[in-house]
């Protein structure tokens, strides 16, 4: 595998999906087809990490806010702080 192929496999993209009403993080290039009746109406990227893609998604007005589940804490950890 070449370095370019390796980099392409790790790329993350954002796709605006009208059917779900969400901006999804995807690993393959989305086919923008909203003008012909499809559901994907925009795509952007690539991003190097999931965190980069999430940050980009949070800055796009058309993307609804996504609430991340709270981080798990061990049972014996003090949760008052």
């Amino acid at each position: 595998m070449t370095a370019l192929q390796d980099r392409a496999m790790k790329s993350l993209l954002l796709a605006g999906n009208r059917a779900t009403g969400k901006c999804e993080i995807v690993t393959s290039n989305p086919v923008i087809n909203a003008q012909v009746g499809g559901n994907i109406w925009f795509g952007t990227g690539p991003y190097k990490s999931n965190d980069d893609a999430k940050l980009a998604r949070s800055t796009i007005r058309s993307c609804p806010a996504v609430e991340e589940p709270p981080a798990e804490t061990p049972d014996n950890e003090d949760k008052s702080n």
Side-chain angles (χ1 to χ4, degrees), residues 35-58:
Q35 293 185 0
V36 292
N39 291 320
I40 306 300
W41 60 285
F42 82 87
T44 183
Y47 302 100
K48 292 181 180 182
S49 70
N50 201 35
D51 288 338
D52 288 346
K54 287 179 181 181
L55 177 62
R57 179 174 58 190
S58 71

Side-chain angles (χ1 to χ4, degrees), residues 6-77:
D6 186 44
R7 183 175 162 218
M9 288 180 63
K10 293 180 183 178
S11 294
L12 299 169
L13 303 121
L14 289 176
N17 188 328
R18 289 185 197 263
T20 62
K22 297 179 182 178
C23 294
E24 301 167 338
I25 298 173
V26 297
T27 56
S28 61
N29 195 16
V31 176
I32 313 303
N33 58 4
Q35 293 185 0
V36 292
N39 291 320
I40 306 300
W41 60 285
F42 82 87
T44 183
Y47 302 100
K48 292 181 180 182
S49 70
N50 201 35
D51 288 338
D52 288 346
K54 287 179 181 181
L55 177 62
R57 179 174 58 190
S58 71
T59 65
I60 298 172
R61 285 191 212 198
S62 302
C63 295
V66 176
E67 290 189 28
E68 296 293 328
E72 293 184 29
T73 58
D75 291 336
N76 61 354
E77 187 175 314

